[in-house]
Amino acid sequence: MTGRAPDLHPEAETILDRVDLPPTASLSVEGAREALRDLLVAEEPPDDDLTVRDLSIPGPGDDPETSLPIRTYTPPDGGARPVFVYLHGGGWVRGDLDTHDGLCRLLAEAADCVVVSVDYRRAPEHRFPAAVHDAYAATAWAAEYAEIVGGDPDRVAVGGDSAGGNLAAAVTLLARERDGPELAHQVLLYPVTDYAFDTSSYDENTAGYLLSRASMRWYWERYLGDDIDGANPYASPLRARDLSGLPSATVITAGYDPLRDEGAAYADRLREGGVSVTHENYPGMVHVFASFPDLDRARDARRVIADGLATAFGRD
């Protein structure tokens, strides 16, 4: 690729050199899913000391026949640990337990907590708000049954990357409206927060830096049942009238990412609502950078996340 910005971080250059994927908007749904798996699924699981279990839990109350696959990551020894419910990215259309297995392992180790990764229903087979309901159901389950996976039910956080960050933000809104579960923290890793394409970061990063405006339109078209759904705060958390009373937040954004400005705007709105927020922007980086285990910027982002969780869980 030529014509890259001169202040693009060398590690972002490394990512772009590694990633040889066709534009998402040019692919079928199955083709897009397979492309992400090719990029992120390791040939063999990393060599670590985590106990990893695949389980099935009840789905949301509005669909009692639905069960949800989850994968739990528990560090060795140490008794009951805090629980971090993780919602994978992939534009609500792609991504699964395997694409984010590596990232969940790294977060479980960095934050010394139990990670519960959720395989929520994906679009377009299941459009909005199915994924929101699944994400909330899994978070409520984790809070009620944390001890099953070696967790502490009184210390539960939720988070995710990209579309998963969008779902995590929606879960905190639902938990507030439904008076539970009580969440200690939210982690929003380059989150989608608004059904709009009019920010400066969209204009600056229309194409060429892994995630494009066309790809985001493709994702939204498959996620929403109708354009009017985009105004729903559970689809566009930035449009919620009131963000007070939500859990503290760690927000990570990347400079060369169309989602940069809406992530920053959500961090600002949370602060305006009286929520404690740590927002770390990585100016020279691109979307999905934190999933690469061997990059220093990725390690630093995971450290910021782990520090935020530690503070929220009362470990400082």
Side-chain angles (χ1 to χ4, degrees):
M1 173 183 167
T2 60
R4 293 176 182 170
D7 58 346
L8 193 68
H9 194 281
E11 291 187 343
E13 297 266 11
T14 298
I15 293 171
L16 296 175
D17 289 342
R18 286 183 189 177
V19 176
D20 184 21
L21 299 178
T24 301
S26 70
L27 299 173
S28 66
V29 167
E30 288 306 318
R33 289 172 178 169
E34 190 58 34
L36 189 66
R37 289 181 61 84
D38 289 344
L39 175 64
L40 296 180
V41 176
E43 292 184 8
E44 295 183 4
D47 183 14
D48 55 41
D49 293 326
L50 300 170
T51 298
V52 180
R53 299 169 62 195
D54 286 344
L55 304 172
S56 181
I57 64 173
D62 65 343
D63 189 359
E65 299 302 317
T66 300
S67 62
L68 289 174
I70 63 170
R71 182 172 294 167
T72 65
Y73 303 81
T74 305
D77 308 323
R81 283 179 167 83
V83 177
F84 181 32
V85 178
Y86 196 81
L87 305 163
H88 68 76
W92 309 282
V93 174
R94 55 186 189 166
D96 53 36
L97 298 180
D98 293 333
T99 59
H100 286 66
D101 180 78
L103 180 58
C104 287
R105 288 173 182 270
L106 292 167
L107 291 173
E109 291 185 317
D112 191 29
C113 65
V114 177
V115 171
V116 177
S117 182
V118 183
D119 200 11
Y120 56 84
R121 288 172 292 173
R122 298 179 299 184
E125 296 91 342
H126 304 280
R127 292 180 180 263
F128 173 84
V132 176
H133 291 322
D134 288 357
Y136 180 79
T139 304
W141 180 91
E144 185 171 359
Y145 298 104
E147 294 175 358
I148 292 176
V149 295
D152 179 354
D154 294 324
R155 294 184 293 170
V156 178
V158 66
D161 62 292
S162 196
N166 169 278
L167 294 174
V171 165
T172 68
L173 293 171
L174 270 173
R176 182 188 64 182
E177 298 307 315
R178 297 181 180 183
D179 201 22
E182 186 173 346
L183 299 172
H185 197 61
Q186 57 182 312
V187 174
L188 310 179
L189 185 54
Y190 24 80
V192 185
T193 67
D194 194 18
Y195 178 48
F197 311 92
D198 56 359
T199 61
S200 294
S201 59
Y202 261 109
D203 291 339
E204 295 165 9
N205 306 299
T206 296
Y209 297 106
L210 207 59
L211 181 66
S212 69
R213 188 199 304 262
S215 294
M216 282 306 305
R217 288 189 182 278
W218 188 91
Y219 291 133
W220 277 110
E221 287 170 0
R222 282 148 186 79
Y223 181 51
L224 300 178
D226 191 280
D227 276 351
I228 196 170
D229 288 336
N232 188 311
Y234 299 132
S236 294
L238 189 59
R239 303 194 192 192
R241 293 182 180 180
D242 177 18
L243 296 182
S244 64
L246 297 177
S248 60
T250 298
V251 180
I252 304 290
T253 54
Y256 287 94
D257 182 352
L259 305 180
R260 180 196 68 213
D261 289 353
E262 63 195 78
Y266 196 68
D268 290 342
R269 284 284 317 282
L270 286 169
R271 287 195 192 96
E272 291 168 6
V275 176
S276 175
V277 178
T278 296
H279 172 210
E280 192 75 30
N281 182 54
Y282 291 80
M285 297 306 292
V286 295
H287 195 72
V288 85
F289 77 93
S291 288
F292 290 85
D294 57 332
L295 303 182
D296 288 340
R297 294 283 79 192
R299 292 189 190 97
D300 189 77
R302 295 192 297 269
R303 178 194 57 77
V304 171
I305 291 170
D307 288 349
L309 289 168
T311 299
F313 291 145
R315 287 176 161 172
D316 281 4

